[in-house]
Every structure is written in structure tokens, then in C-alpha cells.
């Protein structure tokens, strides 16, 4: 039974068979008890009547005389076989005329001679019988016992017939329950087979395959998850293709410039000193640009493969903020952007990777400058919180559209703006911040500006700076 359908059906059938079997046994046992109890009650009532008759009308005569002269009075009350036993346990009368010799040591007779109602079921002369014994009293003294015996053959046959009916009904129940089990198993297996078929198509590369959700259950949820996964794969594949196309274009641009100037400078007509200096300057600038792009791609590859390790050291936050201000102020002046830093001169030092931290801040500030027009503003601030450091970079640039905002940190995503780069800068920044145990959040309003919040834990060491 390798298939789920066979296992489910088998499990259902096992439960049904066990349940029906238990119910059948209980029903047959109850029927048997009712039949035997009814017969026993009937014999008990009859034997009590006969015993009371003896006590009222025949107790002034000895047991032996009553047997000789009044014996008919005892078996006229019942169709059962009647035996009379004396005080010593000897049968002195049997309605069938068969009197065994000697003492009859049967439990029901002994109980009757002891003043109780005796009951016994067993074999007598090769036949299964039920016997009920009752004491015979004369002047409140036990003088013997009266015993009624009846065959259980007809009763057992009735019980068997009833049992056959119950068993037939039980088999019918099992049969129909088995059909229902197969139907129920199919309601689970058929949707699973559809989901499996769609998953196999996806595994073969057809990410357009989709599963149809039929019910709001676990299989329906699995179907939704599989469809969502396929949508995400298609989206990521498209982003990757766009990224490859974008990177190819950006790599081609500096290479074309370098190659063009290299060919130009090989020509003797263009080897004047001024032309040579301009050409070499452009080649050097484009080579640097190319190197930065390759470094960014290598960084991205290392983060994706989880091969990056932070080189932690004590960082002087005040010195770091001053360094960033000195590095970017000339650009701000050149592009006519108001660049402001806000920080306390008594910022504490903390423990992290200073080069990766600079990479994050420079990358985000570079984006802020790229998307902010002349006359705009870029602010960079740091605030001490109880357990964290909160860095905020805000600009008054063009902003990000609401539908693009959730995707700007995704790998390979390149925004619609012509100023957008290759689509991996922000994803690298987020990877670095996550590696530091922090959090990077972006909020933006179109045509009003963008704000980036970077929260970093103070981590293992905090050094209070002396004033």
C-alpha cells in the first residue's frame, strides 16, 4: 500500500471493522443476556409459586408422602423438567422418571438447601440446560429443594438467528462504509494529485503552471502557497533578467569609452600632450567606475552565498560622522544640495565593522544625492536610544511610488526612474544591517522625499566617551 489513497482507505476500514466488531459483540452479548435473563426470570417465578403452594397446602405432610400422593401439584405449574431433592441432596422425584442414584452435588441444589435461590447452566445428559432451585419449607424449616430444569437449545437457536441478522447488518455496514471511505479518500487524493502534477510541471521549468483551489482547507492553502511560489519565481526571474541586462549595459558603457579612447590614442594624429592627458584621464575614471561596479557585484555574490564575515572593532561614531561629512560635502557643494549632519559631539563608541558601516551609509547617501535635485536637502543624523543607535538619512528628492516601495530592497530590482542603478545596492545594505543584528526601514512620499531608518544594536561593547 504505497499510495495515500490505499493507506487512507485501509485505515478507515480498520477503524470501521473494529468498531462494527465491538458493537456486534456487545449486541450479541446483550441479546444472550436478555434471553437467558428472561428464561431465568420465568423459571424463578414458576418455582416460587410451586414452593409457596407446597408451604401452604402440603407442609403438614412429609416430603416423601407428598412425592407419593401429591406430586402432580409440582410440575403442573411449569413445562420444565421438575426434580425434588431431599435434605441430603438426593433426588427423590424427577418428572421425566429418571432418578440418578446417590447424592447430586450441584451448586444450585446446595444453594437451595442453604435457603437461597440456586441457578446453574451446564450440560445434563449431553444437552445444555438451565436449572433453577428453590428451598421447600415446612413450618419455616427447609425439608428439601424444588428444581426446575429447561433445555437451552431453542433459546440458543434464537440467539444464533439474531446474531446472524446482526452480523449480516454489520457486513452491509462495513461494505457501504468502505465505499464511503473510498469516496472520502478520493476527495483528499484528487486535489493532491492536481497539486503534485502542477509542482512537477514547475520542477520541469514551466512556472506558468497553476493549481486550482477547490476548498478552504490545508490542501487549498498548499495550492495557494505553490501558486504564490511560482509567481515569486517568475518575478525574481524577470528581475534577474532585467538586472543582467542593466549590468551588461552599465559595464558596456565604460568599456566602450575605454576602448574608444585607447584606439584614438593609438593614432599618431591624436597623441598631442593635451589630448593624451584627457584620454588617459577618461580611461582612468571609467576604469575606476568599472572597478566599483565589479566590487559591488562581488559583494553581492558573497552576501548571497553567506561568505561575508564582519571584522568587528571599536568604532568612534563622532569620527565616523566627521569622515562622512568631509567625504560628501564637496559633492553636495558641486550639485548645490544642502547637506547637513546632526549628531552629539559626545557620541559613544561601539563595536562593529567600520568598513561595512561606511559602505551602508555612503551607498544610501549616494542614492539620496542621486534622487535630489539642485537646491534640495539631505540630512544625516544619529540618535542614542536605550539599547540601540538610530541613524536617519532623509532627503527632499523625487520620492518613491507607493507600489514600488515594498520592492526597492529586493535583489535585482531596478526602479522606473532613469536615475536608478543596477538594483543591488540597497539589497546589499540590508544584508549588512541584518548581519549586524539591526534593521533597515524605508518610507517615502512621491515628489516629497525619502527617509531611511537604520537601527543598530550597541552590541557587545559600549565605551562612554570622556568629556
Amino acid at each position: 500500500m504505497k499510495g495515500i489513497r490505499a493507506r487512507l482507505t485501509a485505515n478507515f476500514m480498520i477503524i470501521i471493522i473494529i468498531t462494527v466488531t465491538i458493537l456486534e459483540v456487545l449486541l450479541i452479548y446483550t441479546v444472550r443476556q436478555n434471553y437467558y435473563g428472561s428464561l431465568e426470570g420465568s423459571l424463578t417465578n414458576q418455582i416460587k409459586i410451586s414452593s409457596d403452594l407446597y408451604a401452604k397446602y402440603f407442609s403438614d405432610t412429609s416430603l416423601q408422602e407428598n412425592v407419593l400422593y401429591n406430586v402432580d401439584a409440582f410440575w403442573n405449574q411449569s413445562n420444565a423438567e421438575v426434580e425434588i431433592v431431599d435434605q441430603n441432596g438426593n433426588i427423590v422425584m424427577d418428572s421425566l422418571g429418571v432418578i440418578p442414584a446417590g447424592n447430586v452435588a450441584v451448586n444450585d441444589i446446595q444453594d437451595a438447601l442453604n435457603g437461597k435461590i440456586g441457578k446453574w447452566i451446564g450440560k445434563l445428559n449431553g444437552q445444555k440446560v438451565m436449572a433453577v432451585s428453590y428451598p421447600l419449607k415446612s413450618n419455616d424449616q427447609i425439608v428439601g429443594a424444588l428444581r426446575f430444569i429447561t433445555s437451552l437449545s431453542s433459546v440458543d437457536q434464537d440467539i444464533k438467528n439474531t446474531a446472524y441478522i446482526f452480523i449480516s447488518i454489520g457486513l452491509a455496514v462495513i461494505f457501504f462504509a468502505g465505499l464511503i471511505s473510498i469516496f472520502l479518500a478520493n476527495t483528499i487524493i484528487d486535489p493532491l494529485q492536481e497539486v503534485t502534477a502542477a509542482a512537477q510541471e514547475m520542477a520541469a521549468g514551466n512556472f506558468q503552471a497553476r493549481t486550482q483551489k477547490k476548498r478552504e482547507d490545508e490542501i487549498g492553502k498548499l495550492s495557494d502557497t505553490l501558486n504564490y511560489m511560482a509567481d515569486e519565481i517568475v518575478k525574481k526571474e524577470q528581475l534577474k533578467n532585467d538586472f543582467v541586462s542593466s549590468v551588461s549595459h552599465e559595464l558596456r558603457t565604460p568599456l566602450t569609452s575605454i576602448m574608444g579612447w585607447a584606439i584614438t590614442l593609438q593614432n599618431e594624429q591624436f597623441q598631442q600632450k593635451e589630448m593624451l592627458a584627457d584620454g588617459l584621464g577618461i580611461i582612468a575614471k571609467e576604469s575606476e567606475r568599472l572597478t566599483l561596479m565589479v566590487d559591488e557585484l562581488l559583494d553581492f555574490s558573497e552576501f548571497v552565498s553567506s561568505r561575508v564575515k564582519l571584522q568587528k572593532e571599536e568604532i568612534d561614531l563622532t569620527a565616523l560622522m566627521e569622515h562622512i561629512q568631509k567625504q560628501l560635502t564637496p559633492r553636495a557643494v558641486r550639485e548645490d544640495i544642502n547637506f547637513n549632519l546632526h549628531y552629539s559631539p559626545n557620541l559613544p563608541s561601539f563595536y562593529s565593522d567600520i568598513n561595512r558601516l561606511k559602505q551602508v551609509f555612503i551607498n544610501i547617501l549616494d542614492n539620496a544625492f542621486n534622487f535630489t535635485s539642485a537646491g534640495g536637502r539631505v540630512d544625516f543624523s544619529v540618535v542614542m536610544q536605550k539599547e540601540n543607535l538610530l541613524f536617519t538619512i532623509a532627503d527632499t528628492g523625487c520620492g518613491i511610488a507607493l507600489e514600488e516601495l515594498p520592492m526597492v530592497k529586493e535583489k535585482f530590482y531596478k526602479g522606473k526612474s532613469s536615475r536608478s542603478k543596477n538594483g543591488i545596492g540597497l539589497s546589499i545594505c540590508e544584508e549588512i544591517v541584518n548581519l549586524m543584528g539591526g534593521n533597515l526601514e524605508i518610507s517615502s512620499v512621491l515628489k516629497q522625499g525619502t527617509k531611511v531608518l537604520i537601527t543598530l544594536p550597541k552590541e557587545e561593547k559600549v565605551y562612554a566617551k570622556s568629556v
Side-chain angles (χ1 to χ4, degrees):
M1 291 192 298
K2 293 184 178 180
I4 297 177
R5 178 186 283 107
R7 291 203 302 271
L8 279 174
T9 304
N11 290 336
F12 286 149
M13 290 303 298
I14 289 170
I15 294 171
I16 292 165
I17 289 171
I18 291 173
T19 304
V20 170
T21 301
I22 292 172
L23 288 174
E24 293 282 344
V25 170
L26 289 174
L27 283 171
I28 293 170
Y29 175 78
T30 302
V31 168
R32 180 182 181 277
Q33 291 299 104
N34 285 338
Y35 269 91
Y36 279 19
S38 177
L39 182 60
E40 182 184 304
S42 177
L43 287 177
T44 301
N45 289 334
Q46 292 171 14
I47 202 169
K48 282 183 177 181
I49 292 171
S50 296
S51 178
D52 291 343
L53 185 65
Y54 178 89
K56 286 182 179 179
Y57 302 107
F58 305 103
S59 59
D60 55 347
T61 307
S62 67
L63 183 63
Q64 286 72 18
E65 290 178 356
N66 282 321
V67 168
L68 290 174
Y69 303 111
N70 302 307
V71 70
D72 291 344
F74 296 103
W75 63 60
N76 285 340
Q77 304 298 324
S78 174
N79 294 324
E81 176 187 352
V82 179
E83 290 181 346
I84 297 177
V85 183
D86 63 14
Q87 286 178 304
N88 299 319
N90 298 314
I91 297 175
V92 295
M93 190 280 294
D94 189 301
S95 61
L96 297 180
V98 180
I99 301 176
N103 182 276
V104 182
V106 183
N107 291 338
D108 63 301
I109 293 176
Q110 297 300 322
D111 288 340
L113 293 175
N114 291 327
K116 297 182 289 184
I117 299 176
K119 300 168 186 177
W120 176 75
I121 296 175
K123 291 278 188 178
L124 187 62
N125 298 324
Q127 188 178 15
K128 189 177 180 182
V129 298
M130 176 186 287
V132 176
S133 300
Y134 201 81
L136 290 174
K137 295 182 179 180
S138 177
N139 298 322
D140 294 329
Q141 296 294 319
I142 296 174
V143 295
L146 184 62
R147 191 185 197 205
F148 283 3
I149 303 170
T150 187
S151 173
L152 292 175
S153 299
S154 61
V155 174
D156 285 345
Q157 187 60 46
D158 289 343
I159 293 172
K160 284 183 182 179
N161 293 337
T162 305
Y164 290 148
I165 294 172
F166 284 156
I167 291 171
S168 299
I169 294 172
L171 292 174
V173 169
I174 290 172
F175 174 74
F176 286 109
L179 294 179
I180 294 171
S181 298
I182 294 172
F183 172 76
L184 291 175
N186 287 336
T187 61
I188 298 173
I189 300 306
D190 290 345
L192 273 179
Q193 288 179 335
E194 292 181 16
V195 172
T196 302
Q200 288 172 342
E201 284 193 51
M202 293 176 189
N206 179 17
F207 296 112
Q208 302 304 319
R210 295 293 183 271
T211 62
Q212 186 177 359
K213 182 178 180 180
K214 294 183 177 180
R215 295 183 181 87
E216 293 289 342
D217 55 9
E218 286 78 3
I219 297 176
K221 188 176 181 180
L222 176 62
S223 179
D224 286 342
T225 303
L226 197 62
N227 290 337
Y228 174 74
M229 182 190 73
D231 291 337
E232 288 298 303
I233 290 174
V234 170
K235 187 166 70 173
K236 297 293 184 184
E237 189 70 18
Q238 184 61 44
L239 286 173
K240 186 188 75 173
N241 293 337
D242 293 344
F243 167 75
V244 172
S245 175
S246 173
V247 169
S248 299
H249 175 74
E250 292 196 28
L251 289 174
R252 188 184 296 114
T253 301
L255 284 172
T256 301
S257 180
I258 291 169
M259 184 177 292
W261 273 103
I263 293 170
T264 300
L265 295 178
Q266 282 179 340
N267 193 323
E268 293 181 358
Q269 296 180 359
F270 300 100
Q271 289 187 356
Q272 296 90 348
K273 185 175 181 182
E274 185 178 346
M275 179 72 73
L276 191 63
D278 289 342
L280 290 175
I282 291 172
I283 290 174
K285 185 177 180 182
E286 293 299 321
S287 298
E288 183 181 0
R289 178 182 166 196
L290 198 59
T291 301
L292 290 173
M293 290 174 62
V294 172
D295 287 343
E296 197 172 47
L297 289 171
L298 288 174
D299 272 349
F300 177 75
S301 174
E302 288 181 350
F303 276 108
V304 168
S305 58
S306 301
R307 288 185 283 121
V308 173
K309 291 185 178 179
L310 297 178
Q311 304 298 322
K312 294 185 178 182
E313 58 182 286
E314 183 185 353
I315 298 175
D316 186 335
L317 273 180
T318 303
L320 176 61
M321 298 295 284
E322 290 173 352
H323 172 80
I324 291 173
Q325 185 174 23
K326 290 177 183 177
Q327 182 175 345
L328 294 178
T329 296
R331 178 179 176 180
V333 172
R334 186 172 63 250
E335 296 179 6
D336 191 22
I337 294 173
N338 188 9
F339 179 44
N340 299 292
L341 276 78
H342 307 278
Y343 59 92
S344 168
N346 299 318
L347 284 173
S349 297
F350 82 117
Y351 200 67
S352 190
D353 188 325
I354 188 168
N355 291 322
R356 292 296 180 186
L357 202 56
K358 284 180 185 177
Q359 182 180 354
V360 171
F361 294 149
I362 295 298
N363 194 304
I364 296 174
L365 285 166
D366 180 63
N367 284 340
F369 279 108
N370 283 338
F371 292 96
T372 301
S373 302
R377 180 186 181 95
V378 174
D379 292 310
F380 183 26
S381 64
V382 57
V383 177
M384 282 288 299
Q385 296 180 330
K386 187 175 180 181
E387 296 180 354
N388 300 313
L389 292 166
L390 178 62
F391 298 89
T392 304
I393 297 173
D395 64 62
T396 58
C398 60
I400 304 169
L402 189 62
E403 63 272 13
E404 286 190 78
L405 197 57
M407 299 181 285
V408 293
K409 295 189 289 183
E410 291 184 3
K411 299 176 180 67
F412 311 130
Y413 181 77
K414 184 178 180 181
K416 297 176 182 178
S417 171
S418 59
R419 302 182 186 182
S420 299
K421 292 188 178 181
N422 53 39
I424 58 175
L426 277 177
S427 64
I428 291 176
C429 290
E430 186 174 44
E431 292 284 354
I432 293 172
V433 171
N434 290 341
L435 200 60
M436 291 178 174
N439 185 45
L440 188 150
E441 296 179 1
I442 300 176
S443 60
S444 184
V445 178
L446 197 61
K447 297 182 181 180
Q448 292 187 24
T450 302
K451 180 182 289 186
V452 180
L453 301 177
I454 302 170
T455 306
L456 293 176
K458 291 186 264 190
E459 294 212 357
E460 299 143 67
K461 297 180 182 179
V462 175
Y463 303 89
K465 194 169 183 179
S466 58
V467 180

